[in-house]
């Protein structure tokens, strides 16, 4: 009886987070589609609240802090619950964290749309009160997960939990530094900006999604991870190397040269943990190709693992000074950002949802619809990233040649169009994903819906 | 050694605290300490006096997210020579936050106040960039203007006169105070 109650609670927590994440995914991609088409038709939707510069941070906050943070935390609760063989320490705190994050996201959307911002400092545009609400949510969720794991009956602490704990240990430190008033002014802020915008990806999203994948893949394929040791190597490598490379976002800025050089060099070191995990995932899949071929969850996990290695390698290379000089400030960077945040983190997240949620709620979605989601997302992303990469190189070459700036704008117009088409396909795939998630809803929701229908009007 | 390894594979608290400790130390090394030093070095830099219109204009520049498409960072390389001399720490003294940016969907603006000195050009360009640069993809900002009938425009006031498609027949645009503030800011962005 007690066990059934625990299962119900865990299901409710996980599904609430994942459903919230889908809402922010739809909203954030709608903003993304508007942004992309505005670069093709700049006079479309000339409305104050939908102006390009106002909704760009709404797009990034909805997807990074909303979609990814909520989805990853929801699945993290599931992984922790299953590997620790213990119910979540406090379901109430988990729901409080969800409410705080959703509250912060809504407040952030409203304030940014109204033009209330700390400036164009990526992913920390929210004014301090909004950020504090988000940070409290992160602390609460971290504490809840830590206490669940401390009070577990199994002796071993599975590798997934290392990664999840690491994400929740780093986020508060990172967020605090990002909002320290001492560095709000002057060139010191450039150092903090590079550090924050980089580390939030590498020590919040990356450890969480890796931790989840180290669990989802063995569950999907019904076999252990290829190498536990490679996982441990990836864990420490990611923590140490990733922390040090933020300065490569502002190469040639008036920040210390040694800091920039260190960041570029340590970027090479990142290849170790990145390919350790990518290799580990691929070697785990070896021998199961026949199963993966028929399983959309497997397609997402396979593509996500590959794109993790590829996008990270691209990131390391584009920090090198000669390459950086050419492609920094261009759309190449935008292509890279989407390759990594979408191709790597989001694809693995989608794969983990398709692998884990049906096993939790005991309801699945039609395989054909999951396949449509996958192909729309993959084709959309491929168009997006190739268009932005070509556009970026074209911009860099144009600027180097000394041609007038406006020439680089007209030259890449076709690539902006292709990007808008690719981005629209990605957004369309999210509508399919949301429907699939609805198909996977827990029985409790279904029972409630049936009861509501039967109730006399 | 085995006991040490055991501690990590068994204790959630050990993992949590050691990650927090390692990350905090590395943060001190590559973020806090260099930022403190830079702040200390910059303490003696003169902060240019800013008049009220310029300060208000900068806030609108941030609110409209101009900095997402316009950098204010000139790199010491040939590719950046059209935008001015290489940026120095002094250029950002007193700036909260420095508006360096990460993208150039539009040109760098580090020295735009020296390059484009016309108050009137800037107002037309703000109202609709395509009225001045036909191939521009910058957004238009009509909400910083009042569109009135030509006959109602006050005599002597600065009025924007444009044909279709920018303004309907018989209409003119009057800049609101915010438009004047933004232009005041843009004209003030110079490299000393």
């Amino acid at each position: 009886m007690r066990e059934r109650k625990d299962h119900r609670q865990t299901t409710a927590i996980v599904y609430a987070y994942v459903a919230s994440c889908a809402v922010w995914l739809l909203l954030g991609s709608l903003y993304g589609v508007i942004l992309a088409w505005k670069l093709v038709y700049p006079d479309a939707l000339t409305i104050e609240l939908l102006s390009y510069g106002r909704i760009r941070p709404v797009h990034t906050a909805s997807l990074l802090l909303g979609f990814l943070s909520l989805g990853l935390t929801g699945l993290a609760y599931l992984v922790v619950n299953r590997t620790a063989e213990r119910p979540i320490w406090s379901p109430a705190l988990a729901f409080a964290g969800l409410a705080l994050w959703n509250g912060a996201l809504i407040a952030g959307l409203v304030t940014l749309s109204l033009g209330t911002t700390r400036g164009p400092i990526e992913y920390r545009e929210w004014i301090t009160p909004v950020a504090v609400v988000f940070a409290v949510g992160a602390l609460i969720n971290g504490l809840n997960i830590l206490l669940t794991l401390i009070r577990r009956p199994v002796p071993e602490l599975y590798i997934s939990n290392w990664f999840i704990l690491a994400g929740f240990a780093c986020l508060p430190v990172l967020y605090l530094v990002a909002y320290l008033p001492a560095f709000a002014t002057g060139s010191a802020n450039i150092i903090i900006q590079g550090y924050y915008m980089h580390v939030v990806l590498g020590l919040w999203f990356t450890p969480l999604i890796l931790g989840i994948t180290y669990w989802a893949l063995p569950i999907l394929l019904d076999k252990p991870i290829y190498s536990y040791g490679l996982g441990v190597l990836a864990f420490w490598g990611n923590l140490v190397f990733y922390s040090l490379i933020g300065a490569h976002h502002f190469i040639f800025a008036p920040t210390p040269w040694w800091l920039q050089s260190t960041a570029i060099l340590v970027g090479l070191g990142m290849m170790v943990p990145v390919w350790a995990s990518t290799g580990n995932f691929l070697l785990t899949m070896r021998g199961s190709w026949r199963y993966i071929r028929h399983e959309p969850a497997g397609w997402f996990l396979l593509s996500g693992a590959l794109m993790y290695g590829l996008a990270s390698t691209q990131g390391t290379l584009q920090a090198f000074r000669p390459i950086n000089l050419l492609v920094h400030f261009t759309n190449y960077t935008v292509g890279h950002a989407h390759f990594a945040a979408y191709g790597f983190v989001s694809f693995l997240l989608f794969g983990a949802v398709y692998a884990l949620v049906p096993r939790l709620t005991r309801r699945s979605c039609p395989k054909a619809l999951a396949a449509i989601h996958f192909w729309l997302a993959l084709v959309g992303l491929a168009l997006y990233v190739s268009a932005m990469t070509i556009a970026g190189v074209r911009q860099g070459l144009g600027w180097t040649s000394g041609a007038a700036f406006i020439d680089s704008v007209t030259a890449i117009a076709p690539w902006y169009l292709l990007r808008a088409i690719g981005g629209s396909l990605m957004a369309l795939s999210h509508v399919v994903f949301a429907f699939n998630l609805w198909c996977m809803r827990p029985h409790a929701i279904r029972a409630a819906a049936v009861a509501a229908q039967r109730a006399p009007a | 050694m085995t006991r040490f390894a055991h501690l990590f594979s068994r204790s959630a608290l050990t993992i949590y605290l050691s990650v927090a400790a390692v990350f905090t130390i590395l943060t001190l090394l590559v973020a806090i300490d260099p930022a403190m030093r830079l702040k200390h070095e910059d303490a003696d830099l003169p902060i240019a006096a800013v008049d009220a219109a310029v300060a208000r204009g900068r806030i609108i520049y941030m609110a409209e997210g101009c900095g997402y498409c316009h950098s204010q960072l000139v790199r010491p390389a040939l590719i950046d020579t059209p935008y001015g001399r290489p940026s120095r720490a002094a250029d950002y003294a007193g700036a909260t936050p420095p508006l360096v940016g990460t993208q150039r969907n539009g040109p760098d603006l580090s020295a735009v106040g020296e390059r484009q000195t016309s108050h009137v050009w800037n107002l037309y360009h703000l109202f609709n960039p395509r009225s001045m640069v036909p191939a521009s993809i910058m957004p238009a900002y009509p909400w910083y203007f009042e569109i009135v009938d030509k006959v109602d425009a006050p005599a002597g006031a600065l009025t924007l006169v444009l044909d279709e498609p920018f303004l309907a027949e018989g209409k003119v645009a009057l800049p609101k105070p915010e438009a004047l503030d933004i232009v005041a800011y843009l004209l003030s962005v110079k490299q000393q």
Side-chain angles (χ1 to χ4, degrees):
Chain A
M1 195 58 211
R2 161 108 211 203
E3 212 165 89
R4 274 184 58 186
K5 190 179 164 228
D6 291 340
H7 179 75
R8 251 202 337 269
Q9 276 177 340
T10 309
T11 310
I13 293 169
V14 175
Y15 196 80
Y17 270 89
V18 176
S20 267
C21 109
V23 172
W24 287 105
L25 173 66
L26 288 174
L27 200 69
S29 19
L30 180 64
Y31 276 109
V33 168
I34 295 174
L35 286 165
W37 284 103
K38 270 173 179 274
L39 289 174
V40 182
Y41 301 109
D43 280 316
L45 281 177
T46 303
I47 302 164
E48 219 175 323
L49 295 179
L50 292 178
S51 186
Y52 187 96
R54 298 218 192 164
I55 64 172
R56 192 204 190 253
V58 177
H59 164 69
T60 51
S62 301
L63 291 177
L64 295 173
L65 303 175
F67 159 59
L68 285 182
S69 294
L70 287 164
L72 293 170
T73 303
L75 292 187
Y77 270 120
L78 177 62
V79 173
V80 164
N81 164 262
R82 290 300 142 94
T83 54
E85 293 175 24
R86 198 196 171 278
I88 302 301
W89 184 70
S90 161
L93 275 187
F95 284 113
L98 179 67
L100 287 170
W101 276 2
N102 274 319
L105 284 158
I106 293 168
L109 186 146
V110 172
T111 48
L112 289 174
S113 300
L114 294 171
T116 311
T117 173
R118 295 172 74 236
I121 39 181
E122 279 155 324
Y123 324 139
R124 51 179 188 138
E125 295 97 338
W126 284 350
I127 50 170
T128 310
V130 177
V132 167
V133 175
F134 188 82
V136 172
L139 275 174
I140 285 181
N141 281 329
L143 193 72
N144 204 5
I145 281 175
L146 179 63
L147 287 169
T148 307
L149 288 171
I150 285 179
R151 302 170 50 150
R152 72 189 186 282
V154 286
E156 212 51 44
L157 186 68
Y158 185 63
I159 187 78
S160 288
N161 298 314
W162 298 31
F163 281 103
I164 290 167
L165 282 170
F168 281 100
C170 291
L171 187 64
V173 180
L174 176 66
Y175 225 65
L176 183 70
V177 175
Y179 276 84
L180 273 182
F183 303 124
T185 304
S187 57
N189 195 357
I190 303 173
I191 295 180
I192 302 297
Q193 178 58 26
Y195 160 84
Y196 169 76
M197 73 194 288
H198 190 79
V199 176
V200 75
L201 308 173
L203 289 170
W204 170 236
F205 303 121
T206 302
L208 257 74
I209 193 58
L210 291 181
I212 290 163
T213 309
Y214 272 100
W215 173 249
L217 201 55
I219 288 291
L220 180 73
L221 303 179
D222 199 18
K223 65 180 181 192
I225 197 82
Y226 172 76
S227 160
Y228 206 87
L230 274 179
V232 175
L233 174 75
F235 175 81
W236 291 110
N238 188 69
L239 175 63
V240 174
F241 293 144
Y242 225 118
S243 307
L244 302 174
I245 40 186
H248 77 191
H249 284 260
F250 294 102
I251 292 169
F252 300 109
T255 53
W257 192 254
W258 68 263
L259 189 63
Q260 300 175 16
S261 302
T262 307
I264 298 168
L265 272 176
V266 175
L268 272 173
M270 268 312 290
M271 294 293 90
V272 175
V274 165
W275 287 102
S277 279
T278 295
N280 211 357
F281 296 151
L282 294 178
L283 287 167
T284 306
M285 292 179 198
R286 192 174 60 170
S288 306
W289 300 123
R290 203 170 300 169
Y291 177 74
I292 290 171
R293 202 166 70 192
H294 298 291
E295 182 55 61
W299 308 349
F300 272 113
L301 292 175
L302 172 62
S303 329
L306 283 171
M307 287 193 272
Y308 176 37
L310 295 174
S312 305
T313 308
Q314 183 194 25
T316 293
L317 292 175
Q318 86 190 66
F320 293 163
R321 286 198 174 92
I323 303 176
N324 194 267
L325 196 59
L326 186 76
V327 298
H328 187 62
F329 290 131
T330 74
N331 282 301
Y332 185 95
T333 316
V334 183
H336 169 67
H338 286 78
F339 195 27
Y342 195 78
F344 155 41
V345 186
S346 307
F347 262 59
L348 287 178
L349 178 61
F350 291 139
V353 166
Y354 286 120
L356 298 176
V357 173
R359 284 172 171 79
L360 176 73
T361 60
R362 306 214 175 85
R363 289 160 64 89
S364 50
C365 66
K367 197 177 265 188
L369 284 179
I372 291 175
H373 171 202
F374 175 80
W375 286 112
L376 281 174
L378 188 71
V379 172
L381 179 69
L383 292 179
Y384 190 111
V385 175
S386 32
M388 289 291 87
T389 305
I390 297 167
V393 173
R394 176 64 186 81
Q395 283 175 295
L397 293 174
W399 298 343
T400 310
S401 77
F405 186 88
I406 196 70
D407 289 351
S408 72
V409 177
T410 44
I412 64 167
W415 304 115
Y416 273 140
L417 176 64
L418 194 65
R419 183 268 288 271
I421 294 169
S424 303
L425 291 179
M426 287 152 73
L428 193 62
S429 83
H430 303 154
V431 179
V432 182
F433 172 65
F435 180 79
N436 291 345
L437 209 52
W438 171 249
C439 294
M440 295 185 250
R441 69 198 178 280
H443 286 278
I445 295 182
R446 187 159 170 252
V450 170
Q453 262 178 10
R454 281 197 190 143
Chain B
M1 191 60 211
T2 26
R3 271 186 63 188
F4 186 70
H6 252 235
L7 201 58
F8 276 108
S9 62
R10 298 274 162 110
S11 164
L13 194 62
T14 311
I15 293 269
Y16 186 83
L17 292 179
S18 46
V19 167
V22 169
F23 181 59
T24 305
I25 292 167
L26 296 176
T27 296
L28 286 171
L29 280 175
V30 296
I32 305 281
D33 181 60
M36 288 286 270
R37 283 167 197 268
L38 213 54
K39 194 177 144 114
H40 187 73
E41 282 170 28
D42 291 1
D44 301 330
L45 293 171
I47 297 174
V50 169
D51 76 44
V54 169
R56 288 194 302 268
R58 190 179 194 270
I59 289 171
I60 302 172
Y61 182 94
M62 293 203 290
E64 293 294 355
C66 305
Y68 291 112
C69 294
H70 295 286
S71 58
Q72 290 189 27
L73 170 63
V74 183
R75 297 168 293 175
L78 208 58
I79 189 171
D80 277 9
T81 42
Y83 310 119
R85 60 146 173 80
S87 298
R88 301 185 197 125
D91 298 334
Y92 308 113
T96 311
L99 302 172
V100 281
T102 52
Q103 237 191 303
R104 283 181 190 159
N105 284 338
D108 185 275
L109 299 183
S110 297
V112 70
E114 297 161 41
R115 211 160 59 229
Q116 181 48 265
T117 53
S118 164
H119 178 78
V120 176
W121 185 95
N122 269 307
L123 282 171
Y124 274 97
H125 188 256
L126 181 72
F127 178 70
N128 191 318
R130 277 151 299 286
S131 68
M132 292 287 112
V133 184
S136 170
I137 54 166
M138 183 177 133
Y141 294 92
W143 48 90
Y144 292 122
F145 296 83
E146 210 178 327
I147 295 170
V148 297
D149 285 325
K150 200 175 277 180
V151 286
D152 297 337
L158 202 151
T159 330
L160 305 194
V161 184
L162 284 165
D163 294 333
E164 300 259 14
F166 303 112
L167 276 171
E169 187 70 36
K171 299 279 188 185
V172 292
L174 302 173
K176 292 183 185 172
E178 290 90 341
L180 302 174
D181 290 341
I182 300 172
V183 172
Y185 169 69
L186 290 174
L187 293 176
S188 80
V189 183
K190 293 177 181 173
Q191 292 183 322
Q192 264 83 28

